[in-house]
């Protein structure tokens, strides 16, 4: 049984004071419960402060990126070991904003994953097609390229322990458009089959595949209720407790039934 994971990607949003109040409210709501995993991924400068707030709760702390090199002369970059040092146990890699705005290639993402896994971090690997790629029926080709580009040559035992995949159709991110539950489920099945064929059925069965793309309180239950949707990666709606909490609650309700 895969435990549902609801992760909030704060992106380059919030200030320290609002990040603190959001984390405080979440820590109170989640407490030490673990039936559903809840994670927040604040901007780098706020990680330590948010870690302190979350430390008496089971809310996990993730980062939004890291560099693939060991600590050294790489001005402006953040090493994976620095993330564990400030209390992170996960990192988002391959987010579409990093692929399409910051120019990250599959090769860069692959190297970052290797480094993050070696540091003991869980990796939330984001994959997803552009609108035109979906319209041209290229979705599976794109996903296959992104999955093999990122995962080729990775240590299977580490993937088994640490990999989470997030299917995030780019046309649904921050747009208010959402994949239908059927669209999400069918892509998640494709990704699970790909993991089974490229690696093995055990890995495919254990890896959690999250859906991301305009997940909101009013669509969370249906999306999260799909058999192969193991949670959500939430952007905009993760910035307000009143919006994020009902998404977490939807995952809890589905877990309880
Ligand atoms: C995201 O960027 O990971 C995301 C899913 O954003 P939003 O929920 O705002 O679409």
């Amino acid at each position: 049984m895969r435990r549902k994971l609801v992760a909030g990607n704060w992106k380059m949003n919030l200030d320290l004071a609002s990040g603190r109040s959001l984390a405080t409210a979440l820590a109170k709501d989640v407490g030490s419960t673990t039936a559903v995993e809840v994670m927040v991924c604040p901007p780098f400068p706020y990680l330590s402060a948010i870690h302190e707030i979350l430390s008496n709760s089971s809310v996990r702390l993730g980062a939004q990126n890291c560099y693939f090199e060991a600590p050294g002369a790489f001005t402006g970059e953040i090493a994976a070991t620095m993330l564990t040092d400030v209390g992170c146990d996960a990192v988002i890699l391959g987010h579409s904003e990093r692929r399409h705005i910051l120019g990250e290639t599959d090769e860069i993402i692959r190297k970052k994953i290797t480094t993050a896994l070696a540091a003991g971090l869980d990796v939330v690997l984001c994959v997803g097609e552009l609108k035109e790629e979906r319209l041209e029926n290229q979705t599976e080709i794109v996903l296959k390229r992104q999955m093999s580009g990122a995962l080729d040559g990775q240590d299977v035992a580490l993937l088994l322990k640490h990999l989470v995949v997030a299917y995030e159709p780019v046309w649904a991110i921050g747009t208010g458009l959402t994949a239908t539950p059927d669209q999400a489920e069918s892509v998640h099945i494709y990704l699970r089959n790909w993991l089974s064929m490229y690696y093995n059925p055990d890995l495919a069965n254990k890896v959690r595949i999250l859906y991301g793309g305009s997940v909101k309180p009013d669509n969370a239950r249906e999306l999260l209720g799909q058999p192969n949707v193991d949670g959500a990666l939430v952007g905009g709606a993760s910035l307000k407790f009143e919006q994020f909490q009902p998404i977490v609650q939807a995952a809890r309700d589905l877990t309880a039934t």
Side-chain angles (χ1 to χ4, degrees), residues 9 11 95 97 168 172-175 212-216 233-237:
N9 173 12
K11 310 193 185 188
H95 191 278
E97 285 148 19
E168 298 210 307
I173 296 180
T175 58
S214 298
V215 176
K216 308 281 179 213
L233 181 54
V234 186

Side-chain angles (χ1 to χ4, degrees), residues 137-152:
N137 286 324
Q138 300 290 302
T139 300
E140 292 185 357
I141 293 169
V142 171
L143 295 175
K144 188 170 156 189
R145 190 187 65 228
Q146 292 176 338
M147 292 289 280
S148 54
L151 298 179
D152 208 19

